[in-house]
Amino acid sequence: MKTPNNNPILRTGLIICALLIISCAETKKEETVVEEQEIPLLEAASQEYANIVQKTLELMSTFEHDAYGEHMADDIIWYWPDGDSNTRHTIKGKNELISWWKNWQETTGGKMTFTNTTLLPIKVNKPSNYYKLVGTGVLSYADLTISLQDKSTSVRQHIVFMFNDDKKITHALLYYDRTGIIELTNVVLGETE
């Protein structure tokens, strides 16, 4: 008759194997904490929007009214750089805006050019306290030169263009020092009909 094997190495090996099997079968439950990412106020947008603004400025400077109008929503609001958010003069509607520029061109014979243009396409995720606009936009910085007969004036102009989902301009908010333009044209842009 055989006696049981009391080999310590064998016993130790079996214990280790048993522990490995138990530890592999055991699942460790950890609580995962999901941190909410804060949505940034602004982020980069597609260069396509900057290209639309560049084309619009080129068409405006050559007074191709119907062509630049193609880039604008029917309900566009054009904000002149005067007053505050409640008192700024505006032109509402694509047809009204095009009529205004046609009238300006015909009555002044003026010309305008945009040079040294810098365009920054952005996506606004949170509304500001001022205009409450969200969505895709373009920050445009350019030198605007207006010429009437033999006189001209230049200003550094900042325009914020905002777009709808159809990639049409819904808002144009202009910021610049109007002094030279008023002196040259004797017209306060936005206050003439």
Side-chain angles (χ1 to χ4, degrees), residues 57-185:
L57 294 176
E58 290 169 4
L59 293 168
M60 288 186 79
S61 68
T62 57
F63 298 109
E64 295 179 55
H65 303 293
D66 293 332
Y68 70 72
E70 289 298 315
H71 298 291
M72 297 179 177
D74 290 337
D75 60 349
I76 186 172
I77 303 175
W78 187 272
Y79 295 84
W80 294 106
D82 60 345
D84 61 23
S85 63
N86 297 316
T87 62
R88 288 180 89 168
H89 286 91
T90 61
I91 299 175
K92 295 180 181 178
K94 177 169 60 174
N95 293 336
E96 290 76 10
L97 181 61
I98 290 172
S99 293
W100 192 94
W101 280 112
K102 283 180 179 178
N103 183 53
W104 186 84
Q105 178 191 13
E106 291 168 5
T107 59
T108 66
K111 299 191 181 318
M112 62 181 177
T113 58
F114 298 92
T115 56
N116 300 318
T117 305
T118 302
L119 302 170
L120 178 63
I122 59 168
K123 183 173 179 230
V124 180
N125 295 318
K126 296 179 182 180
S128 70
N129 293 337
Y130 202 63
Y131 286 106
K132 312 232 183 288
L133 299 174
V134 294
T136 304
V138 173
L139 304 180
S140 167
Y141 300 91
D143 293 333
L144 168 65
T145 301
I146 294 181
S147 302
L148 299 176
Q149 290 90 28
D150 61 344
K151 297 179 188 175
S152 68
T153 189
S154 293
V155 297
R156 187 71 177 158
Q157 183 180 55
H158 169 60
I159 306 174
V160 178
F161 291 96
M162 295 300 292
F163 289 82
N164 63 19
D165 292 339
D166 295 325
K167 299 180 183 171
K168 302 288 185 185
I169 300 169
T170 60
H171 297 80
L173 301 102
L174 287 76
Y175 303 92
Y176 56 90
D177 179 359
R178 303 173 312 135
T179 306
I181 294 172
I182 293 170
E183 290 171 358
L184 175 69
T185 64

Side-chain angles (χ1 to χ4, degrees), residues 38-49:
E38 184 175 339
I39 297 172
L41 176 64
L42 298 173
E43 57 189 307
S46 169
Q47 180 64 30
E48 178 181 11
Y49 292 93

Side-chain angles (χ1 to χ4, degrees), residues 11-25:
R11 250 190 268 150
T12 304
L14 288 173
I15 292 172
I16 291 174
C17 286
L19 289 174
L20 282 173
I21 291 171
I22 291 170
S23 68
C24 289

